[in-house]
Amino acid sequence: MAIMGVHDAMDVLGGKWKISIITCLLFGPRRYSEILRDVSGISGKVLSRELKELEINVLIERSVSESAPISVTYSLTEYGESVTPVITVLSGWGQEHRSTIKAKR
């Protein structure tokens, strides 16, 4: 059933921050501090938890450089990039919704 697919997708992508983190990573690999800066309003503790969940669900990968100082970067996996059309549709709908609400006021 379609409802189960929506349930599964929301289980992985739901919440306040996951879509924003994925959208941030659509622009390329980012270090933790860059994601923290770019995703306005997220706390460090929540970002760490969300990154771990996205990694468990194979949407992002964590890369640790061997150079000194050690650098950790996060990037979308090929599978994670498959969420791009969903984000594009959500973005379009969000812009349309914002215009509709403004027009009603």
Side-chain angles (χ1 to χ4, degrees):
M1 282 182 75
I3 193 71
M4 290 307 297
V6 170
H7 175 76
D8 292 344
M10 293 307 297
D11 188 48
V12 174
L13 300 173
K16 187 174 180 179
W17 303 109
K18 287 188 180 84
I19 295 289
S20 295
I21 293 167
I22 292 169
T23 302
C24 176
L25 294 174
L26 282 172
F27 296 98
R30 296 281 190 272
R31 294 176 58 191
Y32 178 88
S33 60
E34 294 172 314
I35 300 169
L36 190 60
R37 180 194 66 223
D38 293 346
V39 179
S40 181
I42 194 169
S43 71
K45 181 178 179 180
V46 172
L47 177 58
S48 293
R49 184 186 70 225
E50 298 288 85
L51 288 170
K52 285 177 189 170
E53 288 179 19
L54 289 168
E55 190 176 5
I56 288 168
N57 284 293
V58 197
L59 296 173
I60 68 168
E61 60 186 2
R62 180 179 184 267
S63 301
V64 180
S65 75
E66 299 299 324
S67 63
I70 293 174
S71 175
V72 177
T73 57
Y74 295 89
S75 59
L76 290 176
T77 61
E78 187 175 331
Y79 180 63
E81 290 177 3
S82 71
V83 179
T84 302
V86 174
I87 292 173
T88 301
V89 169
L90 275 173
S91 175
W93 185 86
Q95 291 171 12
E96 183 179 322
H97 177 70
R98 182 182 300 264
S99 296
T100 300
I101 296 302
K102 283 183 178 180
K104 298 286 183 185
R105 291 185 180 167

